[in-house]
Amino acid sequence: MSDGDVLVDTATTLPDGRRVRLFAVESSSYPGGVNYRFQYYDPETGAEFLRYDNSRVPTHGAGHHHRHVWIDGEESVTAIGFVDLETHITRFETELRDHD
């Protein structure tokens, strides 16, 4: 693998019209060697419900890897641990199932 190689790129539309998007690329400039964004959102309204993403520099007061959740329109950002991409995707999918 080398920088820029796409590791995950999926988009799923749920029966209620909401979408789940998983995207990750190999990147030596990101902690963990991966730049990723996993998102659960409503494409019609633009409302976001759950997102995992990372940054090259610590942001949101939550470090490099963070979890965004919106409750009643209010965003909360917290730090999350990152072991590897597979584990992170599993964690996101588990949280997604438990979300509603």
Side-chain angles (χ1 to χ4, degrees), residues 43-96:
E44 264 190 49
T45 66
E48 293 187 82
F49 308 108
L50 178 64
R51 185 173 78 227
Y52 284 18
D53 59 16
N54 65 340
S55 60
R56 286 182 232 177
V57 297
T59 58
H60 309 291
H64 294 282
H65 302 276
H66 22 81
R67 172 188 175 270
H68 304 251
V69 65
W70 287 261
I71 298 172
D72 297 325
E74 294 295 318
E75 180 182 18
S76 172
V77 182
T78 55
I80 52 175
F82 182 86
V83 175
D84 58 43
L85 184 59
E86 184 178 328
T87 302
H88 220 51
I89 289 172
T90 299
R91 179 179 177 173
F92 179 81
E93 290 174 337
T94 298
E95 187 171 354
L96 181 63

Side-chain angles (χ1 to χ4, degrees), residues 36-49:
Y36 63 88
R37 180 182 179 107
F38 312 150
Q39 187 174 15
Y40 171 44
Y41 67 102
D42 185 329
E44 264 190 49
T45 66
E48 293 187 82
F49 308 108

